[in-house]
Amino acid sequence: MAETQRQGPLSHVRVLDLSRIMAGPWATQILADLGADVIKVERPEAGDDTRAWGPPYLKDEAGNPTSEAGYYLSVNRGKRSITVDITSAKGQDIIRRLAARSDIVVENYKVGTLSRYGLDYAALKAINPRLIFASVTGFGQSGPRRSAAAYDFAIQAMGGLMSVTGEREGMPGAGPQKVGVPIVDIMTGMYTAVGVLAALVRRNETGKGDNIDLAMLDVQTGFLANQAMNWLVSGRAPVRGGNRHPNIQPQDVFPCADGFIVLAVGNDGQFAKLCEALGEAQWAQDARFATNPARVTNHGLLDPLLRAAFGRFNRDALIAALDAVGVPCAPINTVPEVFDDPQVRHRGMLRNLPHPLAGKVPQVVSPLNFENEPLSFDRPPPLLGEHTDEILRDIGLAEQA
């Protein structure tokens, strides 16, 4: 491609992004942040579904809403946008030309859709044997649900996450809850990025590409993690426990006199320091509480003691005292408070990039930091079809698709 060379460890890599909404675009945004040239293929006029998932919309310098939805802006930084009608012979030719010059393709069409257009892995591999092709779907390329559509919310439910998320039975507000961000989409995007990068490394050894099948339900099943293993080794199905950790105590939300604090004690030494800070050093010597297994077993006895003790303190004073002795704890910040946190500000997680409609657009950037290949955040989420003409010129086509 004729594009200006980018910075980052993937500055030599080209990605053809045939995905939309969240999981696939999250993966390709990771690759873009790492320096890859990511070409986002969108439907003419409509574009990615998330462009319309507002309000809120980005505001221009006069305070008026633009056409760029916040949801879309969260997952498409660093890419170039081209509009292509893949149902047409002309559009299919463009995709094949782009695939011939790409290292990676990421797509999330329904199973069988791309094969109808001659754009599936087998067809593109014939053009580019080194191509790494990743398909992201709800249920994968095989199995009884392979053709079914899926969204994050439904997979959180089907995959068991909501059965262990939410307040426990008998408590106010009890009931299944989804996670407050589309965590299955995000984790599927993360696995997709890991998968294509692993295939890229392997290709350096073999010269061959690969075909990667990512299913959101597989991902959700995979990151049940300790909750799945708790069931597998005990035979007891995990249940919602509110904020309480099922294996380590005390880990929960506790009310102070003027707000809430998250406590995340991880070992017996930290528990002893907690007790001392609370003025209850004797609890750490009590056989019912001295070890983590004992605290888990006797949680019903320990919990009310802790809640009474926490209620005697102001939140910030107690956090300072616990920080001083190395007991993990934290305030429950709102989203604005997160970005006002001195540590988050110091790490530069929030940046403002130039934007053609709004003047600038805020972006929550990659948490990856490389000493030898620093990342550069120099390209905002693209306007629909913003780079169509330049991309077509790159592949020898003068007119727009």
Side-chain angles (χ1 to χ4, degrees):
M1 301 292 176
E3 193 222 357
T4 303
Q5 185 71 17
R6 305 193 71 208
Q7 294 182 343
L10 295 184
S11 59
H12 61 297
V13 173
R14 295 167 182 149
V15 180
L16 181 57
D17 185 3
L18 303 180
S19 68
R20 60 202 185 283
I21 305 182
M22 190 68 169
W26 189 266
T28 54
Q29 181 171 262
I30 292 171
L31 302 177
D33 281 344
L34 291 169
D37 175 22
V38 178
I39 297 175
K40 181 178 180 67
V41 176
E42 302 190 69
R43 296 169 297 169
E45 298 182 3
D48 190 313
D49 304 57
T50 60
R51 287 184 179 275
W53 286 9
Y57 291 93
L58 180 67
K59 294 180 179 178
D60 63 20
E61 293 178 287
N64 301 310
T66 69
S67 58
E68 306 297 284
Y71 204 113
Y72 165 80
L73 295 171
S74 74
V75 72
N76 286 290
R77 175 181 57 254
K79 306 174 187 180
R80 296 194 287 167
S81 171
I82 178 174
T83 54
V84 178
D85 178 6
I86 71 165
T87 68
S88 70
K90 182 178 178 181
Q92 292 157 19
D93 178 60
I94 291 171
I95 298 300
R96 293 188 188 100
R97 288 174 182 250
L98 290 171
R101 299 171 176 229
S102 297
D103 298 286
I104 297 164
V105 171
V106 177
E107 65 93 6
N108 66 346
Y109 284 86
K110 289 184 179 180
V111 174
T113 299
L114 290 183
S115 63
R116 294 202 303 270
Y117 302 133
L119 301 176
D120 58 333
Y121 174 66
L124 298 184
K125 177 185 176 183
I127 300 169
N128 181 358
R130 292 172 55 83
L131 191 64
I132 295 161
F133 192 96
S135 295
V136 179
T137 57
F139 302 101
Q141 300 294 307
S142 62
R145 296 187 65 90
R146 63 192 289 268
S147 298
Y151 282 84
D152 177 276
F153 192 5
I155 299 297
Q156 287 197 39
M158 286 187 67
L161 183 60
M162 291 178 64
S163 76
V164 295
T165 305
E167 189 53 83
R168 56 193 180 275
E169 292 299 332
M171 298 294 290
Q177 291 287 320
K178 68 174 183 176
V179 177
V181 295
I183 189 65
V184 185
D185 279 330
I186 291 169
M187 287 296 292
T188 301
M190 293 290 289
Y191 271 103
T192 302
V194 170
V196 298
L197 293 177
L200 195 65
V201 172
R202 186 61 175 167
R203 192 186 72 179
N204 291 340
E205 302 297 321
T206 66
K208 297 179 181 179
D210 212 335
N211 187 19
I212 304 171
D213 174 8
L214 271 297
M216 292 170 65
L217 184 59
D218 292 353
V219 169
Q220 173 56 82
T221 302
F223 78 81
L224 284 173
N226 60 305
Q227 294 283 27
M229 193 55 62
N230 286 346
W231 170 67
L232 290 168
V233 301
S234 72
R236 295 190 298 273
V239 296
R240 297 185 307 278
N243 294 302
R244 187 177 70 197
H245 196 286
N247 302 104
I248 311 170
Q249 284 299 321
Q251 290 200 13
D252 207 335
V253 173
F254 292 93
C256 295
D258 59 347
F260 291 92
I261 183 173
V262 163
L263 180 70
V265 166
N267 57 53
D268 298 338
Q270 290 174 356
F271 179 68
K273 292 177 180 178
L274 167 69
C275 295
E276 186 172 349
L278 293 175
E280 304 287 355
Q282 71 279 4
W283 289 348
Q285 307 304 316
D286 190 319
R288 299 171 299 174
F289 311 138
T291 66
N292 183 70
R295 291 192 295 275
V296 172
T297 300
N298 295 298
H299 175 267
L301 299 175
L302 178 61
D303 187 68
L305 296 176
L306 288 171
R307 292 184 182 278
F310 272 73
R312 299 196 297 264
F313 292 85
N314 289 330
R315 186 192 73 167
D316 291 348
L318 183 56
I319 288 174
L322 296 179
D323 281 345
V325 295
V327 176
C329 63
I332 300 175
N333 285 336
T334 64
V335 172
E337 286 171 335
V338 171
F339 291 102
D340 194 43
D341 185 282
Q343 182 66 24
V344 175
R345 291 203 309 270
H346 173 81
R347 299 291 289 180
M349 286 299 298
L350 178 61
R351 311 281 180 92
N352 284 287
L353 308 185
H355 191 272
L357 294 183
K360 63 181 180 179
V361 57
Q363 290 285 282
V364 185
V365 298
S366 173
L368 294 170
N369 292 279
F370 295 81
E371 182 174 345
N372 295 326
E373 291 284 349
L375 306 187
S376 61
F377 306 104
D378 52 6
R379 179 176 290 153
L383 305 181
L384 178 59
E386 179 179 350
H387 305 94
T388 295
D389 291 340
E390 76 174 50
I391 293 169
L392 290 178
R393 285 195 299 270
D394 291 345
I395 60 175
L397 298 175
E399 71 279 6
Q400 185 169 337

